[in-house]
Amino acid sequence: MSEQSVRFAAMASECEIRLAAGDAGVLAGEAIAEVRRIESKFSRYRPDSVIACINQAAGRDWTGVDDETGALLDYAAALHATSGGLFDITSGVLRRAWNFTTRHVPAAAELAPLLALVGWDKVHRRTGAVRLGLEGMELDFGGFGKEYAADRAAALLAARGVRHGYVNLGGDMRVIGPRPDGQPWNIAIQDPRIDAAVIASIPVTAGALATSGDYERYFETGGRRYCHILHPASGCPVTFWRSVSVLAPLATVAGSHATIAMLKQHGGLRFLDDSGLAYLAVDREGRIHHRHIAAMRGQ
């Protein structure tokens, strides 16, 4: 059975669905439609999205939410608890102070009023509704949105009978099953300091692989690198890890664990070890740490 690859753009990323199925094109189209549905529903950039409606009512009104949105809010609450408050979907408001185009490093006085808007404890919930406690607060599902879409698209394909293929949304991978000959897909891990270079290739037959790093959106000035992953307490970028890649049954789990490890900085390695998941992480000195992972080093 031949493999067919369909490439498309979604969630500000280059994406691919690769399948070995007789009607791969039709099936990929259905999966892409699911990805676009999720993007349309939850993107903070869309004025009519659920997230935009919640944010626009911040400090004033309750916003009704459906079961899917409620489940994602439940997941956000679980991540907040698991991470000791570091994974906080209200911290996206900090991006107002950070401009990665102009390379602006905000002063403490710029961050202070935004930090006052950060805090999961300020998110009020009741059955079928949510309200942000302060005007100016924002929710942002960007920390797990792509991963959730990858899981949903893969679940749709599996339900349609697909047994060989994967969904790749900007590097967040959900593998449905091995190649038709039973061999694994070899998924490249990007070198966080050299464009187009690979530090390892991970063989995967099922599950998910997601990476969080300081090289996706960043700028350098004054001899320092400032990345887009912001600590919710300080409002400043994390600095300890160059990248963290995690293998897990679901892309949402892999991605959130990678991000939490980035946010925990020095404590990230212990968090990953305690999780029991396989990982490959590169610290700020370029040292590679891995556990329960079979990796072929890149050239």
Side-chain angles (χ1 to χ4, degrees):
M1 185 181 297
S2 62
E3 300 168 10
Q4 181 174 339
S5 174
V6 178
R7 297 182 181 275
F8 62 103
M11 300 183 171
S13 302
E14 295 181 5
C15 306
E16 177 194 18
I17 293 177
R18 191 173 189 91
L19 306 174
D23 48 356
V26 173
L27 291 167
E30 293 182 17
I32 292 170
E34 176 67 355
V35 171
R36 298 204 188 284
R37 179 192 71 81
I38 293 168
E39 180 176 21
S40 178
K41 183 174 181 178
F42 296 116
S43 172
R44 67 173 185 265
Y45 298 109
R46 309 222 174 184
D48 58 345
S49 73
V50 170
I51 294 301
C53 291
I54 294 170
N55 294 344
Q56 289 160 12
R60 301 190 306 277
D61 303 322
W62 289 86
T63 302
V65 296
D66 63 5
D67 289 345
E68 182 180 37
T69 306
L72 290 176
L73 289 170
D74 288 342
Y75 186 61
L79 291 177
H80 184 266
T82 298
S83 66
L86 294 178
F87 198 114
D88 192 323
I89 66 169
T90 69
S91 65
V93 70
L94 295 168
R95 72 181 181 279
R96 296 179 190 170
W98 289 91
N99 189 315
F100 289 86
T101 301
T102 63
R103 302 186 175 190
H104 172 65
V105 179
E110 294 176 74
L111 290 170
L114 297 174
L115 286 169
L117 300 175
V118 175
W120 180 250
D121 61 315
K122 302 178 184 69
V123 178
H124 309 301
R125 299 182 63 193
R126 65 189 187 194
T127 303
V130 64
R131 177 181 178 272
L132 305 184
L134 298 176
E135 186 173 354
M137 282 186 69
E138 295 182 7
L139 294 186
D140 182 357
F141 282 178
F144 52 72
K146 279 193 300 179
E147 294 91 338
Y148 173 66
D151 284 334
R152 289 287 303 171
L156 182 153
L157 291 167
R160 298 287 192 275
V162 174
R163 296 295 177 264
H164 307 286
Y166 61 75
V167 177
N168 176 3
L169 302 186
D172 293 323
M173 307 276 297
R174 175 66 189 275
V175 175
I176 304 164
R179 304 187 86 129
D181 62 2
Q183 293 299 305
W185 304 96
N186 289 315
I187 302 175
I189 302 296
Q190 180 179 330
D191 189 311
R193 289 296 179 269
I194 304 174
D195 290 344
V198 172
I199 59 171
S201 180
I202 312 298
V204 182
T205 57
L209 177 67
T211 299
S212 185
D214 71 355
Y215 58 91
E216 296 159 330
R217 288 179 59 215
Y218 73 94
F219 65 86
E220 293 181 345
T221 185
R224 291 189 59 185
R225 174 177 290 234
Y226 298 88
C227 76
H228 75 290
I229 302 174
L230 306 175
H231 195 286
S234 68
C236 295
V238 296
T239 60
F240 187 79
W241 296 104
R242 293 183 181 182
S243 71
V244 178
S245 300
V246 176
L247 273 168
L250 298 174
T252 45
V253 175
S256 58
H257 275 72
T259 299
I260 291 172
M262 291 285 296
L263 289 165
K264 281 186 173 289
Q265 306 207 93
H266 292 81
L269 207 58
R270 173 172 290 184
F271 169 77
L272 292 170
D273 286 336
D274 289 346
S275 75
L277 298 174
Y279 66 84
L280 186 150
V282 184
D283 67 25
R284 62 187 170 197
E285 305 300 328
R287 294 184 293 259
I288 295 178
H289 310 260
H290 61 90
R291 177 180 171 86
H292 299 319
I293 199 165
M296 296 177 288
R297 290 296 299 271
Q299 302 298 318

